[in-house]
Amino acid sequence: MKVIGSIDNHTRCKHYHTDIDIITIKFKCCDSYYGCYFCHEEEADHQPIVWSKEEWGTKAILCGNCHKELTIREYQDCNYKCPNCQSHFNPRCKNHYHLYFE
C-alpha cells in the first residue's frame, strides 16, 4: 500500500484535519493513497482519473483509525462510519465524490 504526502497517523492531511477526517483515498491513476484531491494535485505530476462504477468493488479507501481498506462501495454504503472499527467519517466528503468516483 503506497501512501503519498504528509498525513498524520489517522490519515489527516493539511487540507482536511478535523477529528472525523480520517480516510484517505487511493487514486486510480497512480494506484497510490492521498489524503485528498488537493494533496494529489500538489504531489502528482498527472491528472486524476475517477473510479468507474464497475470498479466500486475495488479496495480504495483506507480508514485512518483502524487502517482497514474498504471497497468504494463499502465506503459509500457505510453511513459515514467504518464498518470495522465504528469510527465516524466526515459526511461532507460526499460533496467531493465526483472528484474520485464516477
Side-chain angles (χ1 to χ4, degrees):
M1 172 180 356
K2 191 166 140 186
V3 179
I4 308 289
S6 298
I7 58 171
D8 70 11
N9 292 337
H10 292 284
T11 68
R12 294 180 193 100
C13 66
K14 66 182 180 182
H15 306 103
Y16 297 99
H17 46 269
T18 70
D19 288 346
I20 55 177
D21 288 317
I22 59 166
I23 63 134
T24 189
I25 299 173
K26 184 189 297 181
F27 279 72
K28 178 181 175 176
C29 48
C30 49
D31 198 36
S32 299
Y33 281 95
Y34 287 86
C36 71
Y37 62 96
F38 287 125
C39 292
H40 183 272
E41 187 176 278
E42 291 172 0
E43 307 263 343
D45 61 356
H46 57 270
Q47 293 296 311
I49 298 173
V50 299
W51 293 96
S52 70
K53 288 183 181 180
E54 292 79 23
E55 298 171 305
W56 287 4
T58 303
K59 289 185 178 187
I61 309 298
L62 182 66
C63 173
N65 187 56
C66 68
H67 302 286
K68 171 142 174 97
E69 284 185 290
L70 306 173
T71 68
I72 297 164
R73 188 167 317 288
E74 286 174 321
Y75 172 65
Q76 290 183 339
D77 292 344
C78 75
N79 201 30
Y80 312 108
K81 187 187 253 188
C82 178
N84 188 57
C85 70
Q86 306 305 304
S87 292
H88 291 276
F89 300 145
N90 190 338
R92 290 181 292 169
C93 290
K94 186 173 187 167
N95 296 331
H96 303 136
Y97 280 5
H98 67 284
L99 300 170
Y100 308 109
F101 319 120
E102 180 182 82

